[in-house]
């Protein structure tokens, strides 16, 4: 992958290129940030530049034999490790490498839900096994095939767990030319002894302008919609794609309908309307429900900004702006913060396969009750 194909992150690109050109490549890097910020694309572009036979001032050539191999994820000196479910008695990443290449080549901004969706793994949790750690050590004990470097990219390294202890010595004292690139979203889940042996690069959210341009160029989104999605996604490319693909049309109307149902007010048939609404959203699938909870959180975030500035968010349509106005008439800052916590908790449970209808009913009742209590208090 070329650095030019990575969305935004210009400062980090310049640093990584400078490290290679100045021959100051760290032996262990930790790319820390959300998948949608570009952690994996940056790692792929860095490894391609490292192996490129005709390095330019800002990017790899993209045409030499090494670039062609790294682009296709088949360079013999670039090794990948990643979490996987325990299925079909497979215990090493090499046994999943075809699926991995297909997933990454189709979306370099791959996240864990997107990866796990490729498998019929039911509720099995992914991890990086001790057998895989031993396989990494075996590969690194061999000489490089085509380069002076050997690179190991460990995607979502927090899934190493305590098995990561097996790699400590190699990370601390690697053989000459060995480079570890660890990619993680949550440093707190990594062994402190591993974190202390790496140079940490914190990957920030994408710049809204860069994200909007990517949506326009790669997904043929018009400028106004691209800027709306970029603002709503808060710098996360995957969230922007989810909103583009799923939070539109019927789902957008379901959110507006739900907000109206949760606002205080009694009329015949309201309870039945809530039940029917739950049936409709539950039928759209778990990923869509998780995106719904994210959308609710983004909406509340913008409501708080509107409360502070008095200006409606530019991402809202007329109906959402009207709902925000109604919400601010009956909800103070603490109430909106409480609603945000409820949405975040619902998203947490959805990721852990909670029963969809029970989860949606619980959230609906809690939101409606909190708003009703706050209306009485303010009155």
């Amino acid at each position: 992958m070329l650095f030019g194909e990575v969305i935004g992150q210009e400062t980090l690109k310049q640093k990584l290129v400078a490290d290679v050109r100045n021959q100051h490549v760290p032996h262990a890097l930790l790319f820390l940030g959300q998948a949608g910020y570009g952690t994996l694309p940056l790692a792929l572009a860095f490894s391609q530049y490292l192996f490129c036979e005709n390095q330019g001032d800002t990017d790899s050539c993209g045409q030499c034999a090494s670039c062609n191999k790294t682009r296709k994820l088949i360079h013999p000196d670039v090794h990948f490790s990643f979490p996987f479910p325990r299925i079909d008695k497979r215990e090493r990443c090499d046994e999943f490498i075809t699926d991995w290449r297909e997933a990454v080549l189709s979306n370099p901004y791959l996240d864990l839900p997107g990866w796990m969706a490729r498998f019929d793994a039911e509720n099995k949790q992914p991890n990086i096994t001790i057998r895989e750690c031993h396989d990494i050590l075996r590969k690194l004990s061999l000489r490089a095939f085509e380069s002076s470097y050997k690179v190991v990219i460990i995607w979502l390294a927090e899934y190493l767990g305590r098995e990561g202890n097996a790699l400590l010595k190699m990370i601390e004292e690697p053989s000459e030319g060995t480079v570890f690139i660890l990619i993680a979203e949550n440093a707190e889940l990594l062994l402190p002894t591993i974190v202390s042996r790496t140079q940490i690069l914190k990957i920030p959210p994408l710049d809204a302008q860069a994200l909007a341009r990517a949506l326009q160029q790669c997904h043929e989104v018009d400028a106004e919609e691209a800027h709306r999605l970029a603002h709503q996604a808060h710098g996360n490319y995957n969230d922007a794609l989810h909103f583009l693909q799923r939070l539109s049309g019927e789902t957008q109307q379901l959110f507006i309908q739900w907000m109206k149902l949760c606002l205080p007010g009694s009329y015949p048939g309201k309870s039945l309307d809530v039940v029917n609404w739950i049936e409709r959203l539950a039928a759209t699938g778990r990923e869509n429900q998780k995106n719904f909870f994210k959308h609710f959180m983004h909406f509340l975030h913008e409501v708080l900004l509107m409360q502070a500035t008095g200006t409606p968010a530019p991402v809202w349509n007329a109906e959402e702006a009207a709902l925000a106005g109604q919400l601010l008439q009956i909800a103070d800052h603490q109430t909106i913060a409480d609603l945000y916590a409820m949405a975040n908790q619902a998203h947490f449970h959805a990721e852990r396969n909670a029963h969809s209808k029970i989860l949606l009913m619980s959230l609906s009742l809690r939101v409606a009750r909190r708003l009703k209590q706050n209306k009485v208090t303010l009155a």
Side-chain angles (χ1 to χ4, degrees):
M1 188 170 192
L2 296 168
F3 278 119
E5 296 171 321
V6 180
I7 302 170
Q9 308 296 10
E10 298 304 325
T11 300
L12 288 172
K13 293 177 187 177
Q14 292 170 12
K15 174 191 168 18
L16 292 170
V17 168
D19 284 346
V20 176
R21 295 189 69 80
N22 295 330
Q23 298 184 342
H24 290 155
V25 178
H27 70 271
L29 285 160
L30 172 58
F31 287 19
L32 190 59
Q34 297 295 308
Y37 298 169
T39 48
L40 180 57
L42 281 169
L44 295 174
F46 177 61
S47 62
Q48 180 165 320
Y49 189 77
L50 190 64
F51 287 105
C52 179
E53 298 164 19
N54 303 297
Q55 296 167 350
D57 292 338
T58 60
D59 214 335
S60 49
C61 73
Q63 298 177 346
C64 67
S66 291
C67 281
N68 287 328
K69 290 175 183 177
T70 51
R71 175 183 288 276
K72 296 175 183 177
L73 311 181
I74 58 173
H75 196 291
D77 295 319
V78 182
H79 308 287
F80 296 99
S81 187
F82 41 82
F84 53 83
R86 297 293 291 272
I87 55 176
D88 302 330
K89 298 182 179 180
R90 289 186 278 181
E91 296 183 342
R92 298 180 301 114
C93 289
D94 282 354
E95 297 170 303
F96 291 86
I97 196 62
T98 299
D99 294 300
W100 168 256
R101 287 172 180 148
E102 290 176 356
V104 175
L105 290 174
S106 64
N107 178 21
Y109 289 79
L110 182 70
D111 57 13
L112 186 63
W115 170 236
M116 292 297 291
R118 302 180 69 86
F119 306 102
D120 183 16
E122 298 178 349
N123 295 327
K124 294 179 180 178
Q125 294 299 313
N127 62 9
I128 301 176
T129 64
I130 188 62
R131 176 99 180 263
E132 171 60 18
C133 291
H134 290 160
D135 205 40
I136 292 173
L137 296 176
R138 179 188 62 80
K139 291 172 182 176
L140 295 180
S141 69
L142 304 174
R143 294 181 61 183
F145 287 90
E146 298 181 4
S147 171
S148 57
Y149 286 103
K150 292 179 290 185
V151 172
V152 178
I153 297 177
I154 304 180
W155 181 66
L156 296 183
E158 53 263 64
Y159 284 86
L160 279 167
R162 295 192 175 278
E163 314 295 4
N165 282 312
L167 301 176
L168 281 178
K169 185 173 178 58
M170 179 62 76
I171 292 175
E172 185 174 21
E173 300 177 3
S175 55
E176 186 177 355
T178 296
V179 178
F180 279 88
I181 303 177
L182 279 66
I183 299 171
E185 296 187 346
N186 190 341
E188 294 180 359
L189 298 179
L190 284 167
L191 291 174
T193 46
I194 286 183
V195 176
S196 66
R197 288 162 170 78
T198 64
Q199 180 182 115
I200 300 175
L201 289 182
K202 293 185 177 179
I203 314 301
L206 295 171
D207 174 74
Q209 294 296 326
L211 179 52
R213 284 196 299 271
L215 293 172
Q216 289 177 260
Q217 295 169 4
C218 301
H219 301 279
E220 299 181 352
V221 180
D222 64 62
E224 182 178 351
E225 178 70 358
H227 283 89
R228 185 185 75 82
L229 290 168
H231 182 83
Q232 193 171 18
H234 296 286
N236 190 309
Y237 178 69
N238 288 329
D239 283 353
L241 289 186
H242 287 317
F243 288 134
L244 173 64
Q245 296 167 358
R246 298 180 181 273
L247 265 183
S248 58
E250 182 183 7
T251 309
Q252 182 75 9
Q253 289 305 310
L254 281 173
F255 173 75
I256 293 170
Q257 180 188 1
W258 180 71
M259 283 299 302
K260 291 178 178 178
L261 290 170
C262 290
L263 289 168
S266 178
Y267 58 85
K270 183 172 183 177
S271 298
L272 181 59
D273 286 343
V274 172
V275 172
N276 289 336
W277 176 87
I278 290 172
E279 292 286 347
R280 290 176 62 191
L281 185 59
T284 64
R286 187 170 301 278
E287 287 302 313
N288 204 34
Q289 293 155 34
K290 285 160 45 177
N291 290 331
F292 178 89
F293 298 137
K294 284 185 178 180
H295 182 73
F296 184 32
M297 287 188 279
H298 289 314
F299 176 76
L300 293 171
H301 174 80
E302 298 299 341
V303 169
L304 285 175
L305 289 179
M306 179 179 173
Q307 188 180 52
T309 64
T311 305
V315 300
W316 287 338
N317 59 31
E319 286 185 289
E320 285 185 307
L323 285 171
Q326 289 180 259
L327 188 59
L328 285 175
Q329 290 178 7
I330 62 171
D332 56 16
H333 184 280
Q334 184 57 53
T335 299
I336 296 172
D338 291 345
L339 298 183
Y340 188 97
M342 293 177 192
N344 192 38
Q345 186 181 51
H347 183 268
F348 175 87
H349 289 301
E351 285 191 318
R352 285 148 185 82
N353 299 314
H355 191 284
S356 298
K357 294 180 182 179
I358 294 176
L359 187 61
L360 293 169
M361 177 62 79
S362 174
L363 179 64
S364 301
L365 292 174
R366 293 173 67 201
V367 169
R369 186 182 301 117
R370 184 68 180 88
L371 290 174
K372 185 176 181 180
Q373 290 172 345
N374 201 73
K375 181 182 180 182
V376 172
T377 302
L378 293 177

